[in-house]
Amino acid sequence: MPALLLAGCAALGAPAPDVLLIGETHDAPGQPERVAAEVQALAARGRLAALALEMAPQGSTTVALGRDADDAAIRSALAWDARAWPWERYAPAIRLAVQAGVPVLGANLPAAQLRTAMADVSLDAQLAPAARQAQEDAIRQGHCGLLPERQIPAMTRVQIARDRSMAHVLAESVRAGRTVVLWAGSGHVDRALGVPQHLPSALAVQSVAMVAGGAAPAAADGARFDRIWATPAMAPVDHCAALRQRRAP
């Protein structure tokens, strides 16, 4: 098993962060196991404050569940959408937190708030102009250049609103001497664009990108992620080709 971030910090004599952001490549193999190992290590030391998830909506929580709660109870508490997020991918880390008596928290913007976020022009000022432009470019790329240009501002606002939602949950969950972990897509943990932009500056934050095959993305420099965790390679998938085929008349 690769060295854990917590062990690495201890070896360097550095304290564990208030907030640990772990960014995944959705569907990549080996990454859920890496997150579960980090959750287990922190929980075993009594250092895990909470596990927050992009995969569940803000307001959902396991805080009322016992340590012996079954999967059905956990999914219900987290308002889990199995159509969007395959439960078995995320369940091991979530179970470990629940069994340790640590709350698991939904952190994503609830679906009912998406339309409001799209129209909220105040979100346009939440990032510096260069960062906002980079976020718009990421939206274009993420939609394979198929999204009409008039929709880019609204979709960018949604991304910013999601990052702010996650940041709010994390800030509310910070506990002295412990670490709250966020598990999200790697774009959300990007220091230059994502959740870190919306966290209080007083917090000690570490951002990790998990990279399938170990080839760091061009954006994964010191300004964007503190660490890169290499995970097993995955077969290349042309998501854009599949999307174009679905949109073809």
Side-chain angles (χ1 to χ4, degrees), residues 23 37 54 60 71 81 88 101 106 119 127 140 143 159 171 173 182 187 208 221 232:
E54 175 196 357
S60 63
D71 281 15
D81 182 358
E88 287 305 321
L127 293 177
R140 290 186 184 93
H143 290 80
Q159 188 78 351
S173 305
L182 172 69
V208 176
D221 56 26

Side-chain angles (χ1 to χ4, degrees), residues 134-158:
Q135 189 69 273
E136 290 181 351
D137 290 343
I139 295 292
R140 290 186 184 93
Q141 182 178 356
H143 290 80
C144 306
L146 298 175
L147 195 66
E149 190 63 23
R150 66 181 182 278
Q151 294 183 22
I152 297 295
M155 296 301 293
T156 302
R157 290 170 193 147
V158 168

Side-chain angles (χ1 to χ4, degrees), residues 1 14 64 76 83 108 184 229:
M1 180 182 297
S76 178
R83 296 169 300 177
N108 207 349
W229 288 349

